[in-house]
Amino acid sequence: MEEVLQKLFNSILEGNAAATREYVQAALDINLKPEVILNHGMIDAMRRVGALFEEGECYVPEMLVSARAMQGGMALLKPHLQQTDKKSNGKVVIGTVKGDLHDIGKNLVALMLEGEGYEIIDLGVDVPAEKFVEVAKEVKPDIVALSALLTTTMPSMKTTIDALTAAGLRNSTMVIIGGAPVTESYAHQIEADGFATDASRAVGMVNGLLANKS
Ligand code: B1M
């Protein structure tokens, strides 16, 4: 691994936000691809944080400072991950479902979709089904995108899909789901229209769904 990526990885692991910004900039300065910086310097570091948490080697406060360092680095990387031409390809309402506070992956999906030309309405974290329904009625999105990182909050995805169906919104709006514990078979089970394992696949999924719709 490039030395600068190793330093970036370590800075996120240590939750050092200033060093994270410094190494993201250093990696950009030597023309490393933004996707490489993101995947190998940053996402891999968050995976390592998760593994350490599982092993009892780090705790929630450490996860939080690592997450903050990651978010700061992502802000710096954002303009480099996004394309410049901004034709509107459609509207996406996105949020992390009720009970779940994880937003780094959701933000990444939102950022990549925005870069692809979609208008993003980001409802944040811990979003109840009723809120998704309320906003979907108001803005009439092409896609509602649900993120969950906890096995215990995956059922909130079903609750949200059921609420959108009950409100009569599923003919006009498709739902995609994703997040570390989410599987394709779960997506089928709860009748989501699509599922993606990462942010770039989420973009491909949305492009594909909307191409088939028109
Ligand atoms: Co939490 N946490 N956490 N945590 N946390 C996990 C998820 C965990 C796997 C850690 C572990 O045990 N190894 C574990 C969940 C176990 C489980 O249910 N299977 C866990 C736990 C247990 C908890 C708490 C319960 C801990 C506690 O309090 N005892 C608690 C719950 C709080 C709550 O939500 N109610 C908690 C809290 C937190 C923090 C707040 C401290 C912090 C989040 C801060 C934040 O997000 N602002 C945090 C963090 C940072 C993590 C880990 C370490 C990193 C998550 C992350 O940001 N990854 C995580 C361990 C891990 O994931 N390995 C862990 C980087 C990010 C880029 O990846 O989010 O997976 P990810 O997103 C990916 C894909 O999943 C996908 O695309 C992204 C990449 O391209 N994707 C989608 C995501 N959403 C998508 C939507 C799509 C499509 C793709 O379409 C709509």
Side-chain angles (χ1 to χ4, degrees), residues 80-91:
H80 302 272
L81 285 166
Q82 290 182 329
Q83 292 172 357
T84 43
D85 86 272
K86 288 269 180 185
K87 57 184 183 337
S88 177
N89 283 339
K91 254 185 230 173

Side-chain angles (χ1 to χ4, degrees), residues 43 46-47 49-51 53-54 60 63-64 67 70-71 99-106 108-109 145-147 149-151 176-180 196-199 202:
I43 294 183
M46 291 310 294
R47 286 209 184 100
V49 172
F53 177 76
E54 254 173 59
V60 172
M63 280 207 287
L64 202 51
M70 166 97 183
Q71 303 267 36
D100 202 318
L101 302 175
H102 296 84
D103 67 356
I104 295 176
K106 182 266 296 168
L108 213 47
V109 173
L146 308 177
S147 179
L149 261 287
L150 300 170
T151 42
I176 69 159
I177 66 170
T197 48
D198 61 41

Side-chain angles (χ1 to χ4, degrees), residues 32-128:
L32 289 185
K33 283 196 177 139
E35 293 78 13
V36 171
I37 302 172
L38 179 68
N39 289 323
H40 300 300
M42 303 172 80
I43 294 183
D44 280 358
M46 291 310 294
R47 286 209 184 100
R48 182 76 191 119
V49 172
L52 289 172
F53 177 76
E54 254 173 59
E55 290 158 17
E57 296 290 326
C58 91
Y59 302 95
V60 172
E62 284 96 337
M63 280 207 287
L64 202 51
V65 286
S66 290
R68 287 199 185 128
M70 166 97 183
Q71 303 267 36
M74 258 166 64
L76 210 56
L77 210 54
K78 182 174 173 176
H80 302 272
L81 285 166
Q82 290 182 329
Q83 292 172 357
T84 43
D85 86 272
K86 288 269 180 185
K87 57 184 183 337
S88 177
N89 283 339
K91 254 185 230 173
V92 179
V93 168
I94 190 166
T96 303
V97 295
K98 186 173 177 187
D100 202 318
L101 302 175
H102 296 84
D103 67 356
I104 295 176
K106 182 266 296 168
N107 292 346
L108 213 47
V109 173
L111 190 150
M112 300 275 205
L113 285 170
E114 199 182 346
E116 187 74 4
Y118 292 99
E119 185 186 334
I120 303 298
I121 298 102
D122 188 344
L123 304 183
V125 297
D126 191 17
V127 183

